Amino acid sequence: MRVMDSVSGRYTCLNMNYLLLIMIHIGVGLHAVGGVWPMPQISASSPEQYPLNPEAFYFEYGRQSEAQPGCSVLDAAFKRYFSLIFPDYFPGDNLSVCAGQASLKAETVWGALRGLETFSQLVKIVHFRGILLDTSRHYLPVQAILKTLDAMAYSKFNVFHWHIVDDPSFPYQSQTFPDLSAKGAFHPMTHIYTQTDVQRVISYARLRGIRVLPEFDSPGHTQSWGKGQSDLLTPCYKGGTPSGAFGPVNPTLPSTYQFIARLFKEVSSVFPDSYIHLGGDEVNFFCWKSNPDVRAFMQKMGFGTDFTKLEAFYMESIVNITSTLNKTAIVWQDVFDYHERIPEDTVLHIWKGVPYDYTKELSRITKAGKRVVLAAPWYINHIAYGQDWRKSYTVQPLNFSGTEEQKKLVIGGEVCMWGEYVDATNLTPRLWPRASAAAERLWSDEKQTSSVEKAFPRLQDFRCKLLRYFIFFLVQCFRIIFGSIYN
């Protein structure tokens, strides 16, 4: 059996001209390749089944492979996938052994991870395939995030978009500005992500071939920021006097940009990915319009009464800040809508056009030469009665009016799980396996996966695999917990 797979990752590790993984097998049967989710780009199957024996099964680096023992990504993956393939195995079981082998070739360690996932599913190409989790509206414990990362790896997602802060709370614990979480989190001790927590998530994701993309959305969606950083938000006025309410970030003060520069310098050092999400969506201009100092600034800058120009001024400034930190910005499409002058490599995140007009947005933005990530049809925090995964599955990201060059600018898509009605109690059943429908659309050959009816039995089977994986995850957690108690 030969399995070929690849993925584009942003982290650096040894490139492998040739990787051979030897697996001796007997005992547990290999399923047909049709049961793999998402479906490989190219696959071939046969009716033969090969039993696997855990005592005679091992992963091995090929002699000609540039990666050898000591590559942390693959060393950890070998252990993880052995446990997934043999969840009930305990050393000492006696089974018969016979010879046999399977090989996997990959150009990078990340491709090897995807191939291992395909192989683990047998037992029983765009670059950006993301999942967004919102940890501001409801705090998600680290274990819930790690569980999601495991499920993402099973479905070959490769970007965790961490919408870590928003209006309701600021759970990210900044070393530079500790009051942001001390005063802006739901609780300053129990509902925060410490630097250790963040590093744990990043490391856990990296070993599964997943990048962590942080989002610090501004100038709107920042009410929680103002609790720990004075003079950051714009005072609202009523009848010529302050009303006591506050609006978006105040874009008229030099102190605003000094704060943003220091915060993003820290964030850039904490999160190693070369991209950072700056938000820029849904800015309410009411408070800016009411503030006399803001209006005076507008006149001084020649903006008149066009507050989209004021937002453009702010977003251009913070994009330039991130550029000096060698980060590429991703922003919501509102930034493009307001005709803001942003670097050519900035990525636009399409969220408008639900349910069907996102094709117009794709055509419009790619025509301007901008790279895009499509999220609009995959807001699966919205639920409907019945099998609503079918709508996600039938999305055709490249089926829009445009040239082939425009379509090359669609670098991927993202499933969004916003947190208004989602916390740790219902995250997993709401997200999976519904997100897997988008996963196959973003990974597999569209012509081979155009039938919802043919996909349904495979998705049912994959759901069973996910349940088995989740049980395995819980068992591992209990082992860690009880191990720490008794040691």
Side-chain angles (χ1 to χ4, degrees), residues 225-247:
W225 301 40
K227 296 176 182 179
Q229 184 66 19
S230 61
D231 299 324
L232 178 65
L233 303 185
T234 305
C236 303
Y237 277 68
K238 185 176 182 180
T241 58
S243 66
F246 292 89

Side-chain angles (χ1 to χ4, degrees), residues 137-196:
R137 290 174 174 86
H138 279 99
Y139 176 82
L140 295 176
V142 171
Q143 285 297 329
I145 295 175
L146 301 184
K147 186 177 180 181
T148 301
L149 290 170
D150 273 327
M152 287 175 63
Y154 306 149
S155 289
K156 296 188 174 71
F157 284 101
N158 67 348
V159 178
F160 168 40
H161 177 176
W162 195 348
H163 188 86
I164 194 168
V165 299
D166 207 294
D167 279 329
S169 72
F170 197 106
Y172 171 76
Q173 189 178 61
S174 168
Q175 289 184 333
T176 310
F177 300 100
D179 278 352
L180 288 173
S181 62
K183 298 179 180 179
F186 288 132
H187 191 283
M189 298 297 293
T190 61
H191 286 59
I192 60 171
Y193 301 108
T194 66
Q195 298 284 311
T196 300

Side-chain angles (χ1 to χ4, degrees), residues 111-375:
L113 286 182
R114 304 309 178 211
L116 287 170
E117 174 56 37
T118 296
F119 183 80
S120 77
Q121 291 187 34
L122 289 175
V123 182
K124 339 180 250 275
I125 229 175
V126 289
H127 303 305
F128 190 112
R129 301 178 301 280
I131 293 280
L132 178 150
L133 291 186
D134 171 9
T135 59
S136 173
R137 290 174 174 86
H138 279 99
Y139 176 82
L140 295 176
V142 171
Q143 285 297 329
I145 295 175
L146 301 184
K147 186 177 180 181
T148 301
L149 290 170
D150 273 327
M152 287 175 63
Y154 306 149
S155 289
K156 296 188 174 71
F157 284 101
N158 67 348
V159 178
F160 168 40
H161 177 176
W162 195 348
H163 188 86
I164 194 168
V165 299
D166 207 294
D167 279 329
S169 72
F170 197 106
Y172 171 76
Q173 189 178 61
S174 168
Q175 289 184 333
T176 310
F177 300 100
D179 278 352
L180 288 173
S181 62
K183 298 179 180 179
F186 288 132
H187 191 283
M189 298 297 293
T190 61
H191 286 59
I192 60 171
Y193 301 108
T194 66
Q195 298 284 311
T196 300
D197 292 332
V198 171
Q199 290 305 317
R200 183 182 179 193
V201 169
I202 292 171
S203 177
Y204 199 89
R206 179 180 178 273
L207 292 176
R208 285 150 182 80
I210 298 170
R211 298 157 43 201
V212 178
L213 169 68
E215 180 181 359
F216 287 79
D217 190 0
S218 69
H221 295 283
T222 49
Q223 289 298 299
S224 65
W225 301 40
K227 296 176 182 179
Q229 184 66 19
S230 61
D231 299 324
L232 178 65
L233 303 185
T234 305
C236 303
Y237 277 68
K238 185 176 182 180
T241 58
S243 66
F246 292 89
V249 166
N250 190 334
T252 71
L253 301 177
S255 59
T256 291
Y257 302 101
Q258 294 166 6
F259 162 78
I260 292 289
R262 292 182 63 195
L263 176 63
F264 282 1
K265 182 178 180 180
E266 175 190 312
V267 169
S268 296
S269 67
V270 171
F271 292 89
D273 199 77
S274 60
Y275 287 82
I276 183 172
H277 205 301
L278 302 179
D281 65 317
E282 298 183 317
V283 181
N284 190 321
F285 298 146
F286 174 81
C287 199
W288 283 351
K289 290 179 180 179
S290 74
N291 187 295
D293 294 329
V294 173
R295 293 199 304 269
F297 181 84
M298 295 272 289
Q299 295 302 316
K300 177 182 176 182
M301 298 297 294
F303 297 160
T305 58
D306 187 352
F307 285 86
T308 66
K309 292 182 179 179
L310 181 59
E311 182 184 354
F313 173 82
Y314 173 82
M315 289 304 300
E316 290 165 15
S317 299
I318 67 166
V319 169
N320 290 335
I321 288 172
T322 57
S323 294
T324 64
L325 296 170
N326 295 318
K327 295 287 187 179
T328 301
I330 301 180
V331 293
W332 296 106
Q333 71 177 89
D334 310 50
V335 175
F336 176 84
D337 296 341
Y338 293 146
H339 310 290
E340 296 167 21
R341 296 184 298 273
I342 52 178
E344 286 300 316
D345 61 351
T346 304
V347 177
L348 278 301
H349 205 155
I350 296 179
W351 67 276
K352 298 181 181 180
V354 179
Y356 302 113
D357 287 343
Y358 59 83
T359 55
K360 296 179 181 177
E361 303 293 337
L362 284 165
S363 180
R364 182 173 65 94
I365 297 175
T366 57
K367 189 176 181 179
K370 296 296 185 182
R371 292 184 298 162
V372 301
V373 171
L374 179 64

Side-chain angles (χ1 to χ4, degrees), residues 64-85:
Q64 299 178 22
S65 171
E66 292 183 28
Q68 291 295 331
C71 178
S72 60
V73 173
L74 291 179
D75 288 349
F78 292 165
K79 295 178 182 179
R80 187 169 68 252
Y81 279 102
F82 186 94
S83 298
L84 286 173
I85 293 168

